[in-house]
Amino acid sequence: MSKILVTGGTGYIGSHTVVELHNAGYEVVIVDNLSNSNIKILTQLHAITGKWFDFNEIDLQDESAVKEFAAAQTDVTGIIHFAASKAVGESVEKPLKYYKNNFFGLINLLTAFNRKIDFVFSSSCTVYGQPDSLPVTEAAPVKKAESPYGNTKQVAEEILAETAAVTPDLNVIALRYFNPVGAHETALIGELPNGVPANLVPFITQSAVGKRGPITVYGNDYDTPDGSAIRDYIHVVDLAKAHVAAIKKMEKKDTSSNFDVFNIGTGKGSSVLEIISAFENVNGEKLNYNLGPRRAGDIVQIYGDVTKSNEELGWKASLDVNEMMRSAWEWEKYIKANPF
């Protein structure tokens, strides 16, 4: 049984990936500094899987702590690296926090695990900016980042590509996510944002449960069918399974290069108003929303070409927008009844 380290493993995408790794027969060890997650997630993971996972509270910015941890983890064969600061708006206000956390963490990890290792990096479609054509493929040019957060993803990919080029034992796959939403079918884990959610779906669910006021749709005059911005939304469980597929691909040595990138999405876009409508229809809940001005930095639309992921990773998204909205609402109701 291969042992996989998941950094940020108590976070939103990390916790779902821990479950899918377990389901696929992997042993999992988790590292998280709990700066943007909750220790109770370990209890939730136990409720889903029946297993207490090996958890280590470590800040990846702490070089000596990471080195000490890596020296004791000689049987780790793969790393899935989620741990990073990720709020676009906050990154504009606090760029140094993002550059320090996201770069130091990655560099300390690569330095400490300087041996034969398979490495999956949590990247983002933000590297594409507003693409010249849609759907956007992995061959599309990387545009100047709209935020320090986006820049950390671009530069991190460069760090990994350049390190892999001179490190034959390092195999890297960067997964460029589109918009992860939804929750586990048990409603025991899901997105747990700190403060006011910056993303659409958790704001929708918090508004519906009475925790927030009306939803603002930022922009209704875009050049899209209904005037609202379009994104490629992907169910978090499908996204988690893509990480397992990436690990398996590298384990099979089924790669032409030791650095590669893949789009992870559904291959089609949904508008903000379509997401609101899907939530209302599938859950029987009426949402209160207002139309507001466009938000600075927002792109009009983006959705991915996922042909490469389908063919080379043997992975395909299977859960639709209705299931995304249903599971997100079940999770929101669960945490209202069982506060974290």
Side-chain angles (χ1 to χ4, degrees):
M1 182 190 297
S2 299
K3 187 174 184 180
I4 308 298
L5 166 63
V6 180
T7 73
T10 55
Y12 175 40
I13 304 169
S15 60
H16 287 82
T17 301
V18 167
V19 171
E20 295 307 321
L21 285 166
H22 172 80
N23 290 346
Y26 289 94
E27 185 180 351
V28 181
V29 57
I30 298 171
V31 161
D32 205 305
N33 69 355
L34 302 174
S35 63
N36 196 33
S37 61
N38 193 304
I39 192 68
K40 291 180 184 175
I41 291 297
L42 295 174
T43 304
Q44 304 299 98
L45 290 172
H46 177 259
I48 294 170
T49 65
K51 181 172 178 61
W52 289 107
F53 292 97
D54 179 0
F55 173 77
N56 302 265
E57 187 176 346
I58 297 171
D59 189 328
L60 295 181
Q61 295 178 74
D62 185 338
E63 185 178 7
S64 60
V66 177
K67 279 185 177 177
E68 184 179 339
F69 172 77
Q73 297 290 334
T74 54
D75 52 348
V76 165
T77 59
I79 297 171
I80 301 179
H81 181 45
F82 295 108
S85 301
K86 62 174 187 175
V88 172
E90 185 191 42
S91 78
V92 174
E93 297 166 5
K94 302 175 181 177
L96 289 180
K97 172 185 174 180
Y98 276 66
Y99 290 127
K100 184 181 177 198
N101 189 34
N102 295 6
F103 291 150
F104 285 13
L106 175 63
I107 292 165
N108 287 342
L109 206 53
L110 290 171
T111 304
F113 284 90
N114 184 22
R115 57 177 190 254
K116 186 171 178 56
I117 207 88
D118 297 329
F119 196 101
V120 182
F121 177 64
S122 168
S123 193
S124 169
C125 67
T126 58
V127 301
Y128 298 121
Q130 178 62 67
D132 299 323
S133 61
L134 291 169
V136 63
T137 73
E138 291 86 350
V142 169
K143 300 273 188 79
K144 178 173 170 52
E146 299 281 342
S147 67
Y149 162 76
N151 198 32
T152 66
K153 293 301 183 186
Q154 292 182 4
V155 176
E157 284 193 11
E158 292 172 4
I159 290 169
L160 286 161
E162 290 165 2
T163 305
V166 294
T167 315
D169 279 348
L170 175 65
N171 291 305
V172 179
I173 287 179
L175 300 182
R176 292 173 175 171
Y177 314 160
F178 283 75
N179 289 60
V181 296
H184 194 263
E185 62 184 1
T186 60
L188 291 173
I189 54 174
E191 191 166 6
L192 198 64
N194 283 341
V196 179
N199 297 329
L200 174 64
V201 174
F203 199 99
I204 285 175
T205 60
Q206 290 191 9
S207 178
V209 85
K211 191 173 179 180
R212 303 285 166 205
I215 301 149
T216 300
V217 177
Y218 294 104
N220 67 330
D221 58 351
Y222 285 112
D223 185 16
T224 62
D226 63 18
S228 64
I230 289 174
R231 299 289 183 269
D232 187 342
Y233 294 91
I234 177 170
H235 198 293
V236 66
V237 172
D238 279 332
L239 176 56
K241 289 177 178 177
H243 294 79
V244 179
I247 286 287
K248 286 183 173 178
K249 182 176 178 65
M250 289 187 285
E251 284 181 337
K252 292 176 188 168
K253 299 181 172 48
D254 178 26
T255 52
S256 54
S257 162
N258 68 334
F259 177 84
D260 209 347
V261 298
F262 292 90
N263 285 341
I264 304 297
T266 62
K268 60 179 184 291
S270 299
S271 73
V272 173
L273 290 174
E274 285 174 335
I275 291 293
I276 288 172
S277 177
F279 182 90
E280 291 181 329
N281 292 339
V282 77
N283 295 312
E285 297 284 336
K286 186 69 181 161
L287 293 171
N288 186 6
Y289 66 91
N290 303 314
L291 300 177
R294 297 185 185 190
R295 193 166 49 179
D298 276 355
I299 60 174
V300 180
Q301 60 178 323
I302 187 168
Y303 50 94
D305 184 324
V306 290
T307 306
K308 183 180 176 185
S309 294
N310 295 168
E311 293 178 353
E312 296 186 27
L313 287 181
W315 167 91
K316 189 171 187 177
S318 62
L319 300 168
D320 65 13
V321 169
N322 289 335
E323 177 54 27
M324 297 176 205
M325 296 304 102
R326 187 204 65 77
S327 61
W329 181 228
E330 291 303 313
W331 163 245
E332 190 66 57
K333 290 187 292 184
Y334 174 84
I335 56 177
K336 183 182 182 183
N338 305 273
F340 273 62

